[in-house]
Amino acid sequence: MGHRMTRTITTQVCIIGAGPSGLLLSQMLANAGVDTVVIDRKDQAYIEGRIRAGVLEQGTVTALEEAGVACRLHREGLKHTGFELAFDGDRHRIDLTALTGKTMTVYGQTEVTKDLFAKRHADGQVFLFNAQNVTPIDLTLDQPRVNLIHDGDAITVRCRHIAGCDGFHGVSRRAIPPDVLKTFEQVYPFGWLGIMVEKPPVSHELIYANHQRGFALASMRSPTRSRYYIQCDVDEDIANWPDDRIWAELAIRLGQDAAANLLTGPSFEKSIAPLRSFVAEPMRYGNLFLAGDAAHIVPPTGAKGLNLAVADIRLLSRALIAHHKDHSDHHIDTYSRTALNRVWKVERFSWQLSMMMHQFPQHSPFQRRMQRADFDYVSTSETASRALAENYVGLPLE
Ligand code: APR
Ligand code: PHB
């Protein structure tokens, strides 16, 4: 079938991906007077319907404030000053605020995405949804392009820079020549089964539990809506996990004190997600810049995925604004190095907390004792607790 017509759109920065990374970048650039076009292969309803984590670092909240999209977040977000670790029923509270002076905010990533969409539409942002065959080309030229099919028309977006914010399965990372791109990956031998339930959470703070039967996490979205996860096999059929079985397992894994307060009910948004660590280097090729899940994945333990994406966007927006407004390429030239420096430290933290809090089928009795010793050390050393807290609340940008 032939395409009805060919159209050229010109912009300063072409953003591929309308997830939180692409939306926040477009907002920060718009605020500085830099023009963008945002392309996504899905539509807004689909993007807003994806369930993701919901714990924001203080630096993430600051970025959303600076972008002008934190109004509802301030009204509805829940301030947390600590969280708990549990190990075979023994509990240790990490007092984030006492140890670091910082707080965390519980507010769903889905809500962040909705707030960003609302603001972008109010500002008249150009979106191309349901785009097909999205192809970034001429990446090393001063005028790279993104070709795509939209509504049956062939469209070329001409720009100065391309932001690859199209997530792990996107096209941007794969547009970097294989002899330039290095990737690093670790897959974990289990998944997380997550449920949402319209009941108050078991505790006013998050509980991360390692139990002989596997990991469990008690989280929340609001004072009346809770979010729970349990470790399970990755290829487990979700039909094997009726709600009753999940509640029984949570009661055991979270420990007796928690079990006594567990308010059960019918679950919704039940799904199983794999755990992966992944990094792509470099995060820049010519005039293409990768940010967020397009460049890296962390396992969900510690809730760093969205926060890491926002940190990338803070660096990338600074770099692009400096180019387009101040004619300075210093931050463009250091973007990949600066971003990766922080990315690897956050990868390390997410990996370490994952290693400490899960049951690994291949672990020897020695390795299991090492996990217990990790927990005991954190429980009894303020220094170790502070190191954990410093990472949990978010490492500084530079
Ligand atoms: N062309 C256009 N858009 C694409 C393509 C493509 N070929 N491939 C993927 N996309 C879109 C997806 O439809 C999605 O809307 O890119 C967007 C990427 O969004 P996310 O996956 O949410 O990635 P990001 O914005 O970097 O957000 C990072 O989301 O996955 C979580 O843990 C992660 O919390 C972190 C945050
Ligand atoms: C969540 O609430 O979805 C959540 C919280 C903490 C995590 C991961 C997910 O580490």
Side-chain angles (χ1 to χ4, degrees), residues 312-326:
D312 287 353
I313 295 305
R314 298 180 92 180
L315 296 172
L316 184 54
S317 63
R318 177 180 76 179
L320 293 171
I321 291 166
H323 173 93
H324 288 276
K325 292 291 154 186
D326 306 329

Side-chain angles (χ1 to χ4, degrees), residues 90-104:
D90 298 325
R91 277 159 81 161
H92 172 63
R93 178 167 187 267
I94 302 283
D95 189 333
L96 295 170
T97 303
L99 293 164
T100 69
K102 298 203 169 110
T103 59
M104 300 296 282

